[in-house]
Amino acid sequence: MSSRVLTAVAWPYANGPRHLGHVSGFGVPSDVFSRYLRMNGHDVLMVSGSDEHGTAITVQADQEGLTARETVDKYHRQLIDDLHGLGLSYDLYTRTTTANHAAVVQDMFSALLENGYVVKQSAMGAISPSTGRTLPDRYIEGTCPICKYDNARGDQCDNCGNQLDPIDLINPTSKINGETPEFRETEHFFLDLPAFANSLTEWLSRRSDWRPNVLKFSQNFINDLRPRAITRDIDWGVSVPLEGWRDQPMKKVYVWFDAVIGYLSASVEWARRTGDPEAWRKWWNDPEALAYYFMGKDNIVFHTVIWPGILLGQNGKGDTGGTLGPFGELNLPTEVVSSEFLTMSGAKFSTSRSRVIYVRDFLAEFGPDALRYFIAVAGPENNDTDFTWDEFVRRNNNELANEWGNLVNRSISMAHKNNGKVPAAGELTEVDTQLLAAARAAFDTVGAHLSRNRFRNAITEAMRIVTLANRYLSDQEPWKLKDDPARRDTVLHCALQLVQDCNTLLTPFLPHSAQQVYEALGGTGVWAAQPQIREVSEDDGVPYPVLMGDYASEEARWESTPIAVGRPLDKPTPLFRKLDESLGVTGPSWSPLLDL
Ligand SMILES: [Zn+2]
């Protein structure tokens, strides 16, 4: 693997608080991946931010009696709190309402226009017959032509998720006064996707390491490409950087186009904030650098077809060529890591249907690592996966508390009581040697799984070593070795070495408790760095929160290091709380499962 890896994480939409479904698919997996790579010596740039434009924001704002700006300010801050609480180690988590983002989007738009990949076309736009004014998409409702849902909006059906045009709606009506809108020709800009068909097909043909179903799905999509609108009749978004368009209040860049460019704009903002404005180029222009994109399965084609098309267009490498754009030759995705859905009682998490568990409630009650563990070991990696409290309680109690927590606690407790420090080992037996070798070998096996985004296999293998170490303690019974202190010290030394190795193996998954274990073993300083909330601003001086972090300073390395003999040990405090088993039946009092 190249030493430089871009971890590009899907942008959460800033129209409400996060629920478990939002963070389990790509939030935690992308962080586990990035933490592992950093420990293994790679230069990781992990970026994302809040997706703050689009009709759904303005609809939410209308519902809450807020402006769109107030709405995104409110939910961006909540998103920051949730992702910070989970310990997601973004190099930058920003937002799409920055001037930097608008400038990058506009430069990208202009580059594509210049190369002929963005084209102006007439489309039918809605007009209010009584006022003669343009009706924004969000004020038009009707029946979805695809799924027949009654309350589809002019730009999208929330039931089936398909993008729509207002004129597609059956029985369109104005939400403002109930009248039937008139449709008149208006102009919009389109991304000319058919002009990438050959170059994308050729590029995809070289992605032989991708999952076959992702490749097939993407190729099928390419076989039926049509121009896709990248401007919209809406008053909230990035302005179109053209004379006669820039100041039009009702024509903005379509939210999907601006959001997907966020990966690049966030990298540019990160570089500026670190004082080296060109630093982003090391991840985007160096052909040796790798780019991993994390998203839910409903967003695959944006990352396997549409975003690569935009990048090719900027690079002047679509089917009709062109000149290299202002960002230089940009790297296309190396890998897209899509997740399935976390469900609850068989259905998708849904705020509107009260089938939801909010991240902040969960974190307040159970802490981040219990959730991170559950997502890694039982999350929707390969299949839609049902969340149940029973499964959560069982895994927390049997695996985290009884296996891992117990191994840490009894190993350190016994060494503390008998030695007050890490004892030296005497002569090792065959059993000792074999087990220590198995733990060392796990760095390769777990690492191989992690580098291929097989999170469940990775944590299962790490926990297998934990189980072996517990069995070792039970078999060797150091508490019965009062008359053979030399052997007892050797067993405890081996147990502490195993705790240290397992803690390293589990650090990408459980960074908070890994820090605790590191300190319990006498370590000082930062073992696993956490993101920080920083208030930043642009030229306008208006502050906004971002997540950044100083991850280069952390001590964690992906290797087995010898436990430091003689280091003083205190009595440990338990790592994980065992949960009342009745919780598995009822869930906590705030859980809507009670109502189902
Ligand atoms: Zn529909």
Side-chain angles (χ1 to χ4, degrees):
M1 245 178 144
S2 157
S3 69
R4 263 191 221 105
V5 181
L6 174 74
T7 306
V9 192
W11 289 53
Y13 203 58
N15 67 335
R18 291 305 88 182
H19 56 60
L20 292 199
H22 289 131
V23 297
S24 62
F26 44 85
V28 170
S30 58
D31 182 64
V32 171
F33 179 68
S34 298
R35 285 181 180 275
Y36 159 69
L37 289 181
R38 289 193 195 103
M39 288 172 71
N40 207 12
H42 298 276
D43 278 332
V44 175
L45 178 60
M46 176 172 164
V47 292
S48 187
S50 301
D51 181 2
E52 302 187 314
H53 290 131
T55 309
I57 298 289
T58 55
V59 168
Q60 185 70 25
D62 289 348
Q63 279 172 12
E64 297 189 31
L66 300 173
T67 64
R69 162 59 68 179
E70 289 165 346
T71 304
V72 297
D73 282 350
K74 171 177 158 183
Y75 290 119
H76 173 63
R77 204 165 273 281
Q78 288 189 11
L79 284 168
I80 288 265
D81 287 343
D82 287 348
L83 305 180
H84 176 255
L86 271 164
L88 304 186
S89 58
Y90 293 100
D91 291 281
L92 180 67
Y93 181 92
T94 179
R95 61 195 307 191
T96 58
T97 49
T98 63
N100 168 72
H101 177 70
V104 172
V105 169
Q106 291 173 338
D107 286 351
M108 187 66 94
F109 181 99
S110 302
L112 291 165
L113 186 70
E114 172 88 17
N115 281 341
Y117 296 112
V118 159
V119 292
K120 207 185 324 181
Q121 287 186 4
S122 57
M124 299 305 279
I127 305 281
S128 160
S130 57
T131 66
R133 289 162 66 179
T134 302
L135 261 179
D137 296 335
R138 73 172 180 280
Y139 289 123
I140 305 166
E141 273 190 355
T143 302
C144 172
I146 297 161
C147 74
K148 312 297 180 208
Y149 175 65
D150 274 339
N151 296 102
R153 285 196 317 262
D155 65 335
Q156 182 176 317
C157 171
D158 284 338
N159 190 51
C160 67
N162 280 293
Q163 288 195 345
L164 303 172
D165 278 313
I167 200 167
D168 298 334
L169 293 174
I170 300 164
N171 298 324
T173 52
S174 161
K175 274 178 72 179
I176 296 171
N177 56 15
E179 64 189 359
T180 303
E182 265 176 42
F183 289 94
R184 289 190 202 153
E185 282 214 339
T186 181
E187 292 198 304
H188 276 293
F189 284 95
F190 288 71
L191 181 65
D192 190 12
L193 284 171
F196 299 107
N198 293 334
S199 40
L200 284 172
T201 299
E202 196 275 325
W203 174 68
L204 277 179
S205 73
R206 286 181 281 124
R207 305 271 79 77
S208 53
D209 51 334
W210 286 13
R211 293 213 315 263
N213 60 332
V214 169
L215 276 177
K216 193 158 185 284
F217 183 55
S218 305
Q219 191 54 55
N220 285 342
F221 190 83
I222 289 176
N223 292 338
D224 188 28
L225 285 177
R226 274 164 293 176
R228 195 175 182 111
I230 61 169
T231 58
R232 209 69 197 171
D233 289 331
I234 182 172
D235 53 0
W236 175 244
V238 175
S239 298
V240 181
L242 289 173
E243 212 53 49
W245 286 73
R246 200 185 304 268
D247 302 322
Q248 281 204 44
M250 276 299 172
K251 300 265 189 215
K252 300 289 179 191
V253 171
Y254 206 162
V255 59
W256 72 261
F257 183 74
D258 105 62
V260 78
I261 296 170
Y263 300 121
L264 177 61
S265 70
S267 303
V268 171
E269 182 184 342
W270 166 82
R272 193 173 301 161
R273 298 216 172 281
T274 55
D276 181 3
E278 299 298 313
W280 62 273
R281 293 187 184 277
K282 289 188 273 189
W283 282 267
W284 285 90
N285 291 153
D286 178 355
E288 294 295 310
L290 304 176
Y292 282 69
Y293 289 75
F294 290 79
M295 77 224 63
K297 64 178 170 184
D298 49 344
N299 268 322
I300 291 176
V301 293
F302 275 94
H303 297 86
T304 61
V305 176
I306 296 175
W307 176 232
I310 293 170
L311 292 166
L312 285 168
Q314 195 278 159
N315 293 350
K317 297 245 171 114
D319 296 359
T320 55
T323 56
L324 190 58
F327 299 104
E329 176 118 10
L330 296 171
N331 290 335
L332 273 60
T334 309
E335 181 66 279
V336 290
V337 186
S338 67
S339 62
E340 308 285 314
F341 293 134
L342 189 71
T343 58
M344 206 160 107
S345 305
K348 267 179 83 173
F349 274 76
S350 161
T351 312
S352 58
R353 288 171 193 148
S354 317
R355 187 155 42 222
V356 72
I357 300 167
Y358 289 115
V359 171
R360 54 183 162 170
D361 295 333
F362 204 100
L363 291 179
E365 184 135 354
F366 306 112
D369 283 6
L371 178 54
R372 295 176 61 109
Y373 180 77
F374 182 83
I375 289 171
V377 77
E381 187 175 319
N382 299 311
N383 306 97
D384 286 356
T385 302
D386 211 37
F387 178 87
T388 65
W389 286 109
D390 187 48
E391 173 89 344
F392 171 69
V393 170
R394 189 179 69 72
R395 290 197 178 269
N396 181 81
N397 289 0
N398 296 359
E399 297 172 13
L400 268 188
N402 283 0
E403 286 287 340
W404 175 226
N406 193 28
L407 175 67
V408 173
N409 197 55
R410 59 182 180 154
S411 303
I412 298 178
S413 290
M414 278 188 281
H416 159 72
K417 200 172 107 206
N418 290 303
N419 311 84
K421 61 185 182 186
V422 178
E427 200 175 331
L428 299 183
T429 66
E430 183 73 18
V431 172
D432 303 340
T433 313
Q434 276 185 6
L435 185 51
L436 292 172
R440 281 196 300 274
F443 284 87
D444 283 343
T445 43
V446 175
H449 287 310
L450 284 174
S451 63
R452 297 164 82 174
N453 295 288
R454 294 179 182 160
F455 303 104
R456 186 175 303 191
N457 288 349
I459 199 162
T460 303
E461 175 62 13
M463 289 299 286
R464 189 180 70 84
I465 306 295
V466 171
T467 303
L468 290 178
N470 268 321
R471 196 175 302 155
Y472 170 78
L473 275 183
S474 304
D475 291 349
Q476 301 297 320
E477 302 182 304
W479 50 89
K480 288 190 182 167
L481 293 171
K482 285 194 184 66
D483 299 332
D484 188 357
R487 177 61 193 157
R488 183 193 63 202
D489 286 0
T490 300
V491 171
L492 291 178
H493 175 94
C494 291
L496 292 171
Q497 179 66 53
L498 292 164
V499 166
Q500 179 165 288
D501 286 346
C502 290
N503 192 49
T504 308
L505 292 167
L506 290 169
T507 295
F509 303 98
L510 310 173
H512 306 85
S513 44
Q515 179 71 35
Q516 272 179 272
V517 174
Y518 173 72
E519 290 170 11
L521 289 172
T524 53
V526 176
W527 172 254
Q530 295 298 346
Q532 299 154 358
I533 300 175
R534 295 185 191 162
E535 297 287 330
V536 299
S537 63
E538 298 186 293
D539 290 344
D540 63 7
V542 179
Y544 63 96
V546 297
L547 290 179
M548 295 184 80
D550 180 15
Y551 310 112
S553 69
E554 67 182 15
E555 300 287 335
R557 295 288 173 275
W558 192 256
E559 62 191 10
S560 170
T561 51
I563 187 91
V565 172
R567 217 182 240 173
L569 295 173
D570 288 332
K571 192 174 178 343
T573 46
L575 269 190
F576 300 101
R577 179 166 60 101
K578 273 187 87 166
L579 302 171
D580 186 336
E581 287 190 6
S582 68
L583 196 69
V585 181
T586 62
S589 56
W590 40 262
S591 163
L593 273 186
L594 288 171
D595 306 329
L596 289 172

